[in-house]
Amino acid sequence: TIVSGAVAERVKLPSFMILATLLVTISYPLTGAWKWGLGWLDANGFYDFAGSTIVHAVGGFAALACVILLGPRHGKYLGDGRMRPIPGHSMPLATIGVFLLWLGWFGFNGGSVLSADPALVSLVFVTTSIAAAAGGLAAMFSSWIVVRKPDLSMALNGVLAGLVGITAGADSVSVLSSFFIGLIAGVIVVFSILFFDKIRIDDPVGAISVHGVCGIWGTVAVGIFGVGDFSLMWQVIGTLSISAFTFVFSLVV
């Protein structure tokens, strides 16, 4: 689903279904098993609670491979170096969609506790929501400074960036740390979206930035903010190796 947003408006359905089938049948379970199947990353202390890398960065870097090969939508980038914005048809619907995702993330992260432990589930709910709120605010103010207006689509992507960012460590960071993780994710996503537009990689919904770039940030953040014995080096190695494998696999497919 992450990939589908990035390739919207310019991919044939059969081609997309072939990619989706192979990605979720071969690549995703393989890289997921490196951690969640007690594989080599798990043995070296890599930690990803609910999938900032294993789910989100995988989607983001598979999307990047597809977008590079497909090229931009017709009329997106003009010959004189300018970019023509192609906004979504309904920002109220986009907003409702983001709030549905925010609600769904309580199942996504909360359910990853794998028990009904009230203390741990409550912590995960709070860190998840705080990061989302911080991400939305950070993206809104960042876009206000950079593009001179508090852009709604940037704010919505900031909420998602905060959610993606907290997913790796929702059970192992403090509530205050979750605020900073979401805040930084919200700033990162604005500059990442602008960067990809500048290098003419056309991502209609910002999926590469939200899930790929902020997925990496969220995983690395566990090594910085995590309460416990977490290795920053292995967080970096883990997220980059999974992202790189998925990118190459998707490019070949």
Side-chain angles (χ1 to χ4, degrees):
T1 339
I2 293 167
V3 178
S4 71
V7 301
E9 301 187 1
R10 64 207 193 278
V11 71
K12 290 181 178 177
L13 183 61
S15 307
F16 176 74
M17 294 308 295
I18 291 167
L19 169 75
T21 302
L22 293 174
L23 186 68
V24 301
T25 306
I26 301 169
S27 179
Y28 169 64
L30 188 62
T31 53
W34 292 352
K35 163 61 187 172
W36 291 340
L38 307 181
W40 66 280
L41 286 178
D42 185 67
N44 284 288
F46 175 72
Y47 192 75
D48 189 354
F49 171 62
S52 282
T53 287
I54 296 170
V55 176
H56 295 284
V58 161
F61 283 92
L64 178 61
C66 296
V67 170
I68 288 170
L69 285 176
L70 283 169
R73 291 167 291 174
H74 293 305
K76 172 70 175 177
Y77 302 112
L78 306 174
D80 55 4
R82 288 185 299 122
M83 180 197 77
R84 184 171 71 89
I86 307 176
H89 81 285
S90 171
M91 291 315 294
L93 276 181
T95 306
I96 291 167
V98 167
F99 277 108
L100 285 171
L101 282 167
W102 191 336
L103 176 64
W105 233 279
F106 292 126
F108 188 63
N109 283 0
S112 294
V113 174
L114 304 181
S115 76
D117 181 317
L120 194 51
V121 171
S122 298
L123 172 67
V124 169
F125 281 175
V126 174
T127 56
T128 298
S129 206
I130 292 291
L137 288 169
M140 183 178 75
F141 284 110
S142 297
S143 66
W144 206 337
I145 293 166
V146 176
V147 297
R148 302 286 184 267
K149 64 172 184 172
D151 186 84
L152 177 58
S153 66
M154 286 291 196
L156 295 176
N157 272 334
V159 170
L160 296 179
L163 288 164
V164 169
I166 196 60
T167 294
D171 68 329
S172 55
V173 301
S174 68
V175 174
L176 183 61
S177 294
S178 73
F179 169 79
F180 287 113
I181 291 170
L183 196 76
I184 294 167
V187 174
I188 288 172
V189 77
V190 171
F191 288 96
S192 178
I193 288 170
L194 294 173
F195 167 76
F196 281 115
D197 262 338
K198 193 167 186 177
I199 62 173
R200 299 195 160 213
I201 288 180
D202 182 18
D203 178 3
V205 298
I208 298 164
S209 300
V210 168
H211 299 277
V213 176
C214 291
I216 286 179
W217 156 243
T219 310
V220 171
V222 176
I224 301 169
F225 295 100
V227 179
D229 186 21
F230 299 107
S231 165
L232 179 59
M233 181 184 76
W234 275 102
Q235 291 303 107
V236 173
I237 291 171
T239 190
L240 293 182
S241 60
I242 290 174
S243 300
F245 180 93
T246 306
F247 176 79
V248 172
F249 179 91
S250 303
L251 203 63
V252 171
V253 172

